Amino acid sequence: MVTRNGAGSRDGGPVVHGFPHLDTVRAAITALHRRLSPDALDRYAVSVLPVDVAFSDADELHPGTQRIARALVRHLRLPDARMIVGFREMEYAASVELTAGPEYFIELNNRFRTHRRDIGAALAHEVTHVLLHRLGLSFPGTRDNEILTDTVTTYLGAGWLLLDAFREDAVGRQKLGYLTPEEFGYVLAKRALVFDEDPSPWFTSPQGYTAWTRGRDRARRDARRPPLTAAGWTGRHRYALDRRYAHQHPPAGSAGSGGYAFEYGPDGRLRVSFPCPTCHQRIRLPVRGRVRARCGLCRTILECET
């Protein structure tokens, strides 16, 4: 049996902003794509809806919590898993016991007895722990594994709840999860681009919405880096200079400043490698001008100027 302390929270203290965990987040997206086929990921094309995870005024504490847990189990495609949810005093926002199942025991911090609007957010993270446990997908180290959990929760359509639980105002501060608000927005935007989904109407937190827009801007930059044809003039100019340098210094090649790198293949020809803007797996293409490529992992079609 393994107990996971998840949905780490900060109440009243400073909230870290920006993208300090972006490399781990991208590695988590790649790992998820490697573990689930494109067809399996398509089963998560619709996010969990607010109506399914909202705590209504008519709900009693325990029946309402169990109803939300069941909704998240259904959404994350765990039909044979049963979540038993209780409340107690604890350091973290929530924890889950990872066993062979089918019953899993989740404990929520006692403060959720009165802060019921965020119960769905805390449960989303814990139920995703169960999903990852069943998939056999994990990262070494607690920090990276929790970042993986937050990333998968968001990418599979339940993590918008965690971002909506982020609030900063005159009364206090709250953030659930291990990602920064902007990193939650980034993963949410990556999901939105894949499934053509707009999560913005679901936000009740103004701070959560702002973080979503900042993350969305960062995610869009992934699709505007060379050698993709959507790259801007500055990036294309830098790429051309790096390509020229690689041609002039065989056989070592060179690393570019935009995430791409030049190398010489077994045939002695120059090629470029760069991360797929969707799944971040590295793609290798020959340097030969305009080319259309398909990512072998996520099946994204890429228009490139190598």
Side-chain angles (χ1 to χ4, degrees):
M1 178 185 72
V2 179
T3 299
R4 292 293 185 188
N5 294 315
S9 65
R10 293 186 177 94
D11 296 308
V15 174
V16 177
H17 287 277
F19 301 91
H21 313 112
L22 199 54
D23 288 344
T24 307
V25 167
R26 288 169 171 167
I29 292 174
T30 304
L32 179 62
H33 276 272
R34 287 175 177 163
R35 185 61 184 84
L36 296 181
S37 69
D39 290 339
L41 280 172
D42 282 345
R43 299 173 67 193
Y44 299 92
V46 178
S47 288
V48 63
L49 297 176
V51 66
D52 294 329
V53 289
F55 211 104
S56 74
D57 294 337
D59 283 330
E60 295 182 5
L61 177 62
H62 290 281
T65 300
Q66 291 295 154
R67 175 184 58 79
I68 294 172
R70 288 194 296 270
L72 289 165
V73 165
R74 289 194 301 271
H75 175 76
L76 291 172
R77 308 289 175 175
L78 291 166
D80 60 338
R82 297 190 295 273
M83 305 296 153
I84 311 301
V85 186
F87 297 82
R88 70 174 176 87
E89 291 291 340
M90 57 195 304
E91 177 185 359
Y92 295 93
S95 67
V96 60
E97 291 183 0
L98 299 179
T99 64
E103 290 186 341
Y104 298 88
F105 295 89
I106 295 175
E107 292 181 312
L108 300 182
N109 192 298
N110 262 341
R111 66 185 175 85
F112 289 111
R113 290 178 179 272
T114 53
H115 293 79
R116 298 182 182 185
R117 64 181 288 188
D118 298 323
I119 284 178
L123 287 176
H125 180 100
E126 303 310 320
V127 176
T128 303
H129 267 305
V130 174
L131 173 65
L132 293 175
H133 177 66
R134 289 192 165 196
L135 291 175
L137 180 58
S138 65
F139 278 0
T142 299
R143 168 190 170 276
D144 286 359
N145 200 58
E146 294 294 348
I147 291 172
L148 169 68
T149 304
D150 277 344
T151 301
V152 172
T153 306
T154 307
Y155 206 85
L156 295 185
W160 67 266
L161 289 162
L162 285 158
L163 180 53
D164 196 42
F166 165 55
R167 288 182 286 278
E168 284 184 306
D169 52 37
V171 177
R173 301 179 180 90
Q174 173 184 272
K175 185 184 78 68
L176 297 182
Y178 288 73
L179 299 184
T180 69
E182 291 79 13
E183 287 167 342
F184 272 118
Y186 174 86
V187 181
L188 195 57
K190 301 292 280 191
R191 170 188 166 78
L193 290 168
V194 169
F195 296 114
D196 192 24
E197 184 179 67
D198 179 13
S200 58
W202 304 332
F203 286 107
T204 62
S205 164
Q207 296 82 16
Y209 177 81
T210 298
W212 140 253
T213 61
R214 291 173 178 168
R216 181 185 61 193
D217 292 343
R218 187 63 177 260
R220 287 173 174 173
R221 285 163 54 183
D222 290 347
R224 297 197 295 263
R225 299 195 298 181
L228 301 173
T229 57
W233 183 90
T234 301
R236 296 298 311 163
H237 180 67
R238 180 72 256 182
Y239 179 85
L241 293 176
D242 291 335
R243 180 177 58 196
R244 181 184 305 169
Y245 181 88
H247 273 301
Q248 293 172 348
H249 295 81
S254 65
S257 58
Y260 54 84
F262 295 100
E263 59 190 38
Y264 282 85
D267 58 0
R269 295 182 179 180
L270 187 64
R271 59 186 184 180
V272 62
S273 67
F274 60 96
C276 170
T278 299
C279 69
H280 299 285
Q281 175 175 262
R282 292 197 74 82
I283 297 170
R284 287 176 171 81
L285 296 176
V287 174
R288 63 183 185 191
R290 187 70 174 260
V291 62
R292 173 178 287 184
R294 183 181 187 182
C295 176
L297 184 59
C298 67
R299 302 178 183 172
T300 300
I301 302 298
L302 305 171
E303 298 289 344
C304 306
E305 181 67 44
T306 61

mmCIF file of all heavy atoms in Angstrom, residues 3 18 28-29 36 58 62 79 96 98 103 140-142 153 173 197 212 256 271 277 279 291-293 298 303 306:
data_model
loop_
_atom_site.group_PDB
_atom_site.id
_atom_site.type_symbol
_atom_site.label_atom_id
_atom_site.label_comp_id
_atom_site.label_asym_id
_atom_site.label_seq_id
_atom_site.Cartn_x
_atom_site.Cartn_y
_atom_site.Cartn_z
ATOM 1 N N THR A 3 0.662 5.528 0.242
ATOM 2 C CA THR A 3 -0.163 6.698 0.504
ATOM 3 C C THR A 3 0.446 7.892 -0.210
ATOM 4 O O THR A 3 1.633 8.186 -0.055
ATOM 5 C CB THR A 3 -0.255 6.998 2.011
ATOM 6 O OG1 THR A 3 -0.848 5.878 2.661
ATOM 7 C CG2 THR A 3 -1.102 8.229 2.261
ATOM 8 N N GLY A 18 4.842 31.912 -12.704
ATOM 9 C CA GLY A 18 5.762 31.677 -13.807
ATOM 10 C C GLY A 18 5.794 30.230 -14.227
ATOM 11 O O GLY A 18 4.831 29.471 -14.021
ATOM 12 N N ALA A 28 6.094 15.212 -18.730
ATOM 13 C CA ALA A 28 4.875 14.518 -18.311
ATOM 14 C C ALA A 28 3.897 14.371 -19.476
ATOM 15 O O ALA A 28 3.247 13.331 -19.623
ATOM 16 C CB ALA A 28 4.218 15.276 -17.159
ATOM 17 N N ILE A 29 3.781 15.411 -20.297
ATOM 18 C CA ILE A 29 2.909 15.323 -21.476
ATOM 19 C C ILE A 29 3.410 14.239 -22.423
ATOM 20 O O ILE A 29 2.627 13.432 -22.958
ATOM 21 C CB ILE A 29 2.824 16.691 -22.175
ATOM 22 C CG1 ILE A 29 2.076 17.695 -21.288
ATOM 23 C CG2 ILE A 29 2.124 16.562 -23.536
ATOM 24 C CD1 ILE A 29 2.066 19.107 -21.819
ATOM 25 N N LEU A 36 -0.655 6.321 -23.369
ATOM 26 C CA LEU A 36 -1.987 6.194 -23.962
ATOM 27 C C LEU A 36 -1.909 6.470 -25.461
ATOM 28 O O LEU A 36 -1.311 7.456 -25.884
ATOM 29 C CB LEU A 36 -2.973 7.165 -23.308
ATOM 30 C CG LEU A 36 -3.275 6.961 -21.822
ATOM 31 C CD1 LEU A 36 -4.291 7.996 -21.360
ATOM 32 C CD2 LEU A 36 -3.793 5.556 -21.551
ATOM 33 N N ALA A 58 -28.015 22.029 -1.809
ATOM 34 C CA ALA A 58 -28.875 20.953 -1.325
ATOM 35 C C ALA A 58 -28.092 19.712 -0.902
ATOM 36 O O ALA A 58 -28.641 18.815 -0.266
ATOM 37 C CB ALA A 58 -29.885 20.571 -2.408
ATOM 38 N N HIS A 62 -21.196 14.407 3.101
ATOM 39 C CA HIS A 62 -20.660 13.118 2.646
ATOM 40 C C HIS A 62 -21.335 12.612 1.367
ATOM 41 O O HIS A 62 -20.633 12.192 0.426
ATOM 42 C CB HIS A 62 -20.745 12.087 3.776
ATOM 43 C CG HIS A 62 -19.784 12.360 4.894
ATOM 44 N ND1 HIS A 62 -18.441 12.045 4.823
ATOM 45 C CD2 HIS A 62 -19.967 12.948 6.109
ATOM 46 C CE1 HIS A 62 -17.836 12.406 5.935
ATOM 47 N NE2 HIS A 62 -18.732 12.960 6.736
ATOM 48 N N PRO A 79 -14.199 2.834 -14.183
ATOM 49 C CA PRO A 79 -15.551 2.410 -13.791
ATOM 50 C C PRO A 79 -15.573 1.382 -12.669
ATOM 51 O O PRO A 79 -16.579 1.270 -11.959
ATOM 52 C CB PRO A 79 -16.125 1.830 -15.094
ATOM 53 C CG PRO A 79 -14.920 1.420 -15.877
ATOM 54 C CD PRO A 79 -13.864 2.420 -15.553
ATOM 55 N N VAL A 96 -4.357 9.927 -0.679
ATOM 56 C CA VAL A 96 -5.043 8.729 -1.143
ATOM 57 C C VAL A 96 -4.150 7.523 -0.873
ATOM 58 O O VAL A 96 -2.928 7.603 -0.966
ATOM 59 C CB VAL A 96 -5.372 8.817 -2.655
ATOM 60 C CG1 VAL A 96 -4.127 8.966 -3.505
ATOM 61 C CG2 VAL A 96 -6.197 7.608 -3.106
ATOM 62 N N LEU A 98 -2.992 4.073 -2.226
ATOM 63 C CA LEU A 98 -2.942 3.356 -3.494
ATOM 64 C C LEU A 98 -2.764 1.871 -3.211
ATOM 65 O O LEU A 98 -1.708 1.427 -2.759
ATOM 66 C CB LEU A 98 -1.798 3.892 -4.357
ATOM 67 C CG LEU A 98 -1.913 5.373 -4.734
ATOM 68 C CD1 LEU A 98 -0.730 5.820 -5.577
ATOM 69 C CD2 LEU A 98 -3.217 5.644 -5.477
ATOM 70 N N GLU A 103 -11.392 -0.707 -4.057
ATOM 71 C CA GLU A 103 -11.709 0.412 -3.185
ATOM 72 C C GLU A 103 -10.449 1.213 -2.874
ATOM 73 O O GLU A 103 -9.391 0.646 -2.599
ATOM 74 C CB GLU A 103 -12.344 -0.086 -1.879
ATOM 75 C CG GLU A 103 -13.743 -0.643 -2.053
ATOM 76 C CD GLU A 103 -14.382 -0.975 -0.718
ATOM 77 O OE1 GLU A 103 -13.630 -1.112 0.272
ATOM 78 O OE2 GLU A 103 -15.611 -1.106 -0.658
ATOM 79 N N PRO A 140 10.212 9.423 -10.916
ATOM 80 C CA PRO A 140 10.961 9.270 -9.660
ATOM 81 C C PRO A 140 10.943 10.559 -8.847
ATOM 82 O O PRO A 140 11.018 11.654 -9.401
ATOM 83 C CB PRO A 140 12.384 8.937 -10.138
ATOM 84 C CG PRO A 140 12.467 9.498 -11.524
ATOM 85 C CD PRO A 140 11.085 9.368 -12.107
ATOM 86 N N GLY A 141 10.826 10.414 -7.538
ATOM 87 C CA GLY A 141 10.834 11.578 -6.666
ATOM 88 C C GLY A 141 9.433 12.128 -6.469
ATOM 89 O O GLY A 141 8.635 12.190 -7.412
ATOM 90 N N THR A 142 9.134 12.545 -5.245
ATOM 91 C CA THR A 142 7.795 13.039 -4.920
ATOM 92 C C THR A 142 7.430 14.269 -5.731
ATOM 93 O O THR A 142 6.324 14.364 -6.281
ATOM 94 C CB THR A 142 7.708 13.362 -3.416
ATOM 95 O OG1 THR A 142 7.955 12.164 -2.669
ATOM 96 C CG2 THR A 142 6.331 13.909 -3.052
ATOM 97 N N THR A 153 -3.886 15.249 -14.705
ATOM 98 C CA THR A 153 -5.234 15.684 -14.294
ATOM 99 C C THR A 153 -5.760 16.748 -15.240
ATOM 100 O O THR A 153 -6.917 16.709 -15.679
ATOM 101 C CB THR A 153 -5.207 16.247 -12.858
ATOM 102 O OG1 THR A 153 -4.632 15.291 -11.974
ATOM 103 C CG2 THR A 153 -6.615 16.579 -12.387
ATOM 104 N N ARG A 173 -4.978 33.916 0.333
ATOM 105 C CA ARG A 173 -4.505 33.265 -0.885
ATOM 106 C C ARG A 173 -4.723 31.761 -0.759
ATOM 107 O O ARG A 173 -4.570 31.203 0.319
ATOM 108 C CB ARG A 173 -3.022 33.537 -1.106
ATOM 109 C CG ARG A 173 -2.640 34.991 -1.231
ATOM 110 C CD ARG A 173 -1.133 35.116 -1.433
ATOM 111 N NE ARG A 173 -0.716 36.502 -1.549
ATOM 112 C CZ ARG A 173 -0.355 37.259 -0.527
ATOM 113 N NH1 ARG A 173 -0.367 36.754 0.702
ATOM 114 N NH2 ARG A 173 0.031 38.502 -0.705
ATOM 115 N N GLU A 197 -11.076 22.964 -27.532
ATOM 116 C CA GLU A 197 -11.970 23.210 -26.413
ATOM 117 C C GLU A 197 -11.632 24.558 -25.784
ATOM 118 O O GLU A 197 -10.461 24.909 -25.658
ATOM 119 C CB GLU A 197 -11.804 22.085 -25.385
ATOM 120 C CG GLU A 197 -12.746 22.149 -24.208
ATOM 121 C CD GLU A 197 -12.513 20.977 -23.276
ATOM 122 O OE1 GLU A 197 -11.429 20.907 -22.654
ATOM 123 O OE2 GLU A 197 -13.410 20.119 -23.179
ATOM 124 N N TRP A 212 -4.728 31.305 -16.806
ATOM 125 C CA TRP A 212 -5.029 30.534 -18.022
ATOM 126 C C TRP A 212 -4.588 31.286 -19.277
ATOM 127 O O TRP A 212 -3.969 30.710 -20.170
ATOM 128 C CB TRP A 212 -6.512 30.195 -18.046
ATOM 129 C CG TRP A 212 -7.215 30.286 -19.380
ATOM 130 C CD1 TRP A 212 -8.106 31.236 -19.775
ATOM 131 C CD2 TRP A 212 -7.096 29.379 -20.488
ATOM 132 N NE1 TRP A 212 -8.547 30.995 -21.052
ATOM 133 C CE2 TRP A 212 -7.943 29.861 -21.521
ATOM 134 C CE3 TRP A 212 -6.348 28.228 -20.709
ATOM 135 C CZ2 TRP A 212 -8.066 29.221 -22.736
ATOM 136 C CZ3 TRP A 212 -6.469 27.584 -21.936
ATOM 137 C CH2 TRP A 212 -7.318 28.072 -22.934
ATOM 138 N N GLY A 256 20.820 24.750 -31.481
ATOM 139 C CA GLY A 256 20.262 26.065 -31.701
ATOM 140 C C GLY A 256 19.722 26.651 -30.406
ATOM 141 O O GLY A 256 19.682 25.994 -29.367
ATOM 142 N N ARG A 271 20.789 16.903 -40.462
ATOM 143 C CA ARG A 271 19.377 16.825 -40.089
ATOM 144 C C ARG A 271 19.156 17.669 -38.834
ATOM 145 O O ARG A 271 20.098 18.026 -38.132
ATOM 146 C CB ARG A 271 18.938 15.383 -39.857
ATOM 147 C CG ARG A 271 19.700 14.650 -38.771
ATOM 148 C CD ARG A 271 19.288 13.188 -38.711
ATOM 149 N NE ARG A 271 19.945 12.498 -37.608
ATOM 150 C CZ ARG A 271 19.753 11.208 -37.334
ATOM 151 N NH1 ARG A 271 18.934 10.474 -38.080
ATOM 152 N NH2 ARG A 271 20.381 10.649 -36.313
ATOM 153 N N PRO A 277 5.399 20.260 -31.104
ATOM 154 C CA PRO A 277 4.687 21.267 -30.310
ATOM 155 C C PRO A 277 3.484 20.717 -29.554
ATOM 156 O O PRO A 277 2.967 21.382 -28.655
ATOM 157 C CB PRO A 277 4.250 22.287 -31.366
ATOM 158 C CG PRO A 277 4.205 21.528 -32.636
ATOM 159 C CD PRO A 277 5.294 20.513 -32.544
ATOM 160 N N CYS A 279 3.177 17.017 -28.330
ATOM 161 C CA CYS A 279 3.537 16.024 -27.308
ATOM 162 C C CYS A 279 4.967 16.165 -26.810
ATOM 163 O O CYS A 279 5.357 15.492 -25.859
ATOM 164 C CB CYS A 279 3.314 14.614 -27.838
ATOM 165 S SG CYS A 279 4.481 14.131 -29.149
ATOM 166 N N VAL A 291 9.063 20.905 -45.862
ATOM 167 C CA VAL A 291 8.678 19.505 -45.712
ATOM 168 C C VAL A 291 7.490 19.409 -44.768
ATOM 169 O O VAL A 291 7.349 20.199 -43.837
ATOM 170 C CB VAL A 291 9.866 18.662 -45.177
ATOM 171 C CG1 VAL A 291 10.308 19.144 -43.795
ATOM 172 C CG2 VAL A 291 9.514 17.182 -45.123
ATOM 173 N N ARG A 292 6.612 18.477 -45.034
ATOM 174 C CA ARG A 292 5.497 18.172 -44.132
ATOM 175 C C ARG A 292 5.839 16.877 -43.403
ATOM 176 O O ARG A 292 6.203 15.876 -44.026
ATOM 177 C CB ARG A 292 4.202 18.013 -44.902
ATOM 178 C CG ARG A 292 3.042 17.516 -44.037
ATOM 179 C CD ARG A 292 1.755 17.423 -44.815
ATOM 180 N NE ARG A 292 1.199 18.752 -45.088
ATOM 181 C CZ ARG A 292 0.032 18.959 -45.695
ATOM 182 N NH1 ARG A 292 -0.682 17.921 -46.108
ATOM 183 N NH2 ARG A 292 -0.406 20.174 -45.887
ATOM 184 N N ALA A 293 5.734 16.915 -42.078
ATOM 185 C CA ALA A 293 6.088 15.759 -41.264
ATOM 186 C C ALA A 293 4.920 15.390 -40.367
ATOM 187 O O ALA A 293 4.041 16.215 -40.075
ATOM 188 C CB ALA A 293 7.325 16.060 -40.420
ATOM 189 N N CYS A 298 2.076 11.408 -31.472
ATOM 190 C CA CYS A 298 0.733 11.989 -31.306
ATOM 191 C C CYS A 298 -0.001 12.183 -32.638
ATOM 192 O O CYS A 298 -1.152 12.624 -32.649
ATOM 193 C CB CYS A 298 0.821 13.317 -30.562
ATOM 194 S SG CYS A 298 1.659 14.640 -31.477
ATOM 195 N N GLU A 303 4.046 21.417 -40.507
ATOM 196 C CA GLU A 303 4.577 22.100 -41.676
ATOM 197 C C GLU A 303 5.916 22.741 -41.268
ATOM 198 O O GLU A 303 5.955 23.583 -40.378
ATOM 199 C CB GLU A 303 3.620 23.168 -42.182
ATOM 200 C CG GLU A 303 2.270 22.634 -42.632
ATOM 201 C CD GLU A 303 2.365 21.850 -43.926
ATOM 202 O OE1 GLU A 303 3.390 21.976 -44.629
ATOM 203 O OE2 GLU A 303 1.403 21.124 -44.250
ATOM 204 N N THR A 306 12.943 23.284 -43.090
ATOM 205 C CA THR A 306 14.186 22.836 -42.453
ATOM 206 C C THR A 306 15.419 23.445 -43.111
ATOM 207 O O THR A 306 16.498 23.374 -42.562
ATOM 208 C CB THR A 306 14.289 21.306 -42.497
ATOM 209 O OG1 THR A 306 14.292 20.865 -43.859
ATOM 210 C CG2 THR A 306 13.128 20.665 -41.756
#
